[in-house]
Amino acid sequence: MVHPRFMPRSSLLAIGLATALGAQAGHITTVDCNIDAYNLTGHTANDFDILLGGVAPADIGKVFLRPETYFPQVEVTAQTYGALIHYSGREVPHGGAVHIGYEISPSGPVNTIDQYWSWNGTRLGGPAFHCAAPTIERRGDVTNTSGADVWIQRRVVARPAAVDLQADLVRLSAFWTGALVIDGNPIALPQGQTRSHLFDDIGHGSYTLMYDVCADALCQDIRQTVFSSAFVTPEPGAAWLALAGALAMLAVPGRRCRPR
């Protein structure tokens, strides 16, 4: 092992930066979630509700809304355990689909307590797969709580830029087609099991997991598509920590040549 005093200062600088940056913590500043929700209730629906725990209406900065093709109305209200996003204003027959979603700035952990179709407020049932944004550890999980075995096919993107709720997190967007397909063929996900993906750590940036949920091994019968993304930002002062680490390495005296 080479002692630091005998290493070039350029090498010490690189080690200092890598050590300091590797040690920095981060937090999730925004979470984006979109869902292609298929109405498989056996009935026509005209509402869709998403109940989020751990957030207030003020935390929800955007909702996905395209009146010409999907639900034309949305209302966000405070609930005992969080916030309710209520979509309405369009009839969706059995087998039909809508694209819905939201962007939030969470102050802590967020979870989807419930999501379901309804007819004038009467609950009909709902898609089983909720958005679960990648965690601060840069891990994306898919858990099957549907009560039936399914197949999934996943795509991931990690990049410094933020995602756009309306433009990126939709099927066949440039973002979707350019994503890394990590399941060349659909993989089985039995009920109650979880599949995880650990992203390459790019530090500051967005980590996005998108996947189809299918009823068959060829994914010809798509039951749901989930788009979930988290934007991770270093903690304040992390850049100073990196600089301090580098300067500390530079402070180590270099080896002096002795005259022979």
Side-chain angles (χ1 to χ4, degrees), residues 201-220:
D201 188 351
I202 62 168
H204 178 93
S206 59
Y207 297 81
T208 305
L209 170 66
M210 304 175 284
Y211 61 92
D212 288 324
V213 180
C214 310
D216 64 291
L218 297 178
C219 253
Q220 295 178 332

Side-chain angles (χ1 to χ4, degrees), residues 62-82:
K62 298 177 184 177
V63 291
F64 187 97
L65 193 64
R66 286 186 179 168
E68 71 281 6
T69 52
Y70 302 114
F71 282 122
Q73 301 168 16
V74 63
E75 181 182 15
V76 180
T77 57
Q79 303 292 310
T80 303
Y81 300 106

Side-chain angles (χ1 to χ4, degrees), residues 140-191:
D141 296 334
V142 183
T143 301
N144 183 358
T145 59
S146 68
D149 294 346
V150 298
W151 285 260
I152 61 172
Q153 192 165 27
R154 296 168 295 173
R155 298 166 180 257
V156 296
V157 179
R159 68 178 192 181
V163 300
D164 186 286
L165 186 72
Q166 300 272 134
D168 293 333
L169 300 187
V170 291
R171 179 181 289 276
L172 301 182
S173 66
F175 186 80
W176 167 276
T177 56
L180 173 65
V181 179
I182 59 175
D183 301 315
N185 295 305
I187 58 174
L189 184 61
Q191 12 179 346

Side-chain angles (χ1 to χ4, degrees), residues 1-9 11-12 15 248-255:
M1 181 177 179
V2 180
H3 193 278
R5 66 176 297 191
F6 299 117
M7 296 180 67
R9 293 196 177 191
S11 298
L12 292 173
I15 293 173
M249 290 295 99
L250 285 175
V252 177
R255 181 182 180 184

Side-chain angles (χ1 to χ4, degrees), residues 184-205:
N185 295 305
I187 58 174
L189 184 61
Q191 12 179 346
Q193 293 194 14
T194 298
R195 293 279 189 174
S196 298
H197 172 75
L198 189 63
F199 287 83
D200 290 337
D201 188 351
I202 62 168
H204 178 93

